[in-house]
């Protein structure tokens, strides 16, 4: 009986290992299949994709079926993640404009000189 538990745990470990380290032919299959697999299945493949080639196969597959846009949420998030990882898609980083301190100081001085601005800001203060 004890031996069964050992074998069971060995097989479970092997199954987990196979899941994590998918074979390349599972990814090459994506090139020929005429069927769109679910985004959940593709995410599972992605978790096992340990090379750039495998991730590229997933990226190309999503592009081929044209489901990488926002309207296909599950595919879109995976497409974005892989695209950024492979360098095909740039991060949407906000650009900041640097304004010289002298310009900010001049703007603040002009605002303080503006009577309406001072009256408006004084209304909320307690006396």
């Amino acid at each position: 009986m004890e031996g069964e538990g050992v074998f069971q745990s060995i097989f479970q470990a092997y199954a987990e290992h196979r899941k994590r380290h998918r074979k390349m032919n599972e990814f090459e299959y994506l090139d020929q299949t005429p069927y769109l697999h679910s985004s959940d299945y593709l995410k599972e493949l992605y978790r096992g994709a340990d090379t750039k080639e495998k991730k590229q196969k997933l990226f190309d597959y999503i592009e081929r079926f044209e489901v990488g846009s926002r309207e296909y949420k599950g595919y879109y998030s995976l497409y974005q993640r892989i695209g950024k990882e492979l360098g095909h898609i740039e991060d949407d980083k906000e650009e900041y404009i640097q304004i010289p301190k002298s310009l900010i100081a001049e703007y603040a001085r002009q605002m303080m000189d503006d009577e309406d601005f001072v009256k408006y800001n004084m209304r909320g203060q307690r006396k």
Side-chain angles (χ1 to χ4, degrees):
M1 290 291 189
E2 190 175 307
E4 289 178 21
V6 171
F7 284 122
Q8 184 178 6
S9 61
I10 289 172
F11 288 124
Q12 284 177 340
Y14 179 69
E16 285 296 316
H17 173 76
R18 284 203 58 201
K19 215 178 216 183
R20 273 189 251 121
H21 302 284
R22 299 274 184 172
K23 293 179 185 174
M24 189 60 179
N25 63 1
E26 291 179 78
F27 291 89
E28 288 171 350
Y29 167 75
L30 297 175
D31 291 337
Q32 290 94 25
T33 184
Y35 305 109
L36 176 62
H37 291 287
S38 72
S39 60
D40 290 336
Y41 174 72
L42 296 179
K43 286 176 185 176
E44 184 182 315
L45 283 179
Y46 173 73
R47 284 193 282 285
D50 52 359
T51 65
K52 284 185 177 183
E53 291 86 7
K54 292 176 182 178
K55 292 175 184 176
Q56 185 65 49
K57 294 277 185 196
L58 285 167
F59 187 81
D60 294 342
Y61 177 80
I62 294 171
E63 272 192 335
R64 183 164 59 102
F65 282 97
E66 300 175 357
V67 290
S69 61
R70 285 188 191 270
E71 61 188 296
Y72 307 104
K73 293 179 184 178
Y75 296 101
Y76 175 75
S77 63
L78 181 61
Y79 182 75
Q80 290 291 310
R81 186 182 314 153
I82 296 170
K84 288 175 185 175
E85 196 172 316
L86 296 175
H88 300 313
I89 298 172
E90 292 185 23
D91 264 340
D92 297 335
K93 293 182 180 175
E94 293 183 29
E95 291 187 32
Y96 294 97
I97 300 171
Q98 284 192 320
I99 300 172
K101 289 180 184 176
S102 59
L103 186 61
I104 295 171
E106 177 63 24
Y107 176 76
R109 187 186 60 72
Q110 286 178 4
M111 293 303 288
M112 295 306 286
D113 289 346
D114 184 9
E115 289 179 29
D116 292 333
F117 177 80
V118 173
K119 286 179 188 174
Y120 176 79
N121 284 321
M122 293 299 283
R123 265 191 261 158
Q125 293 181 355
R126 295 183 182 169
K127 296 180 183 178

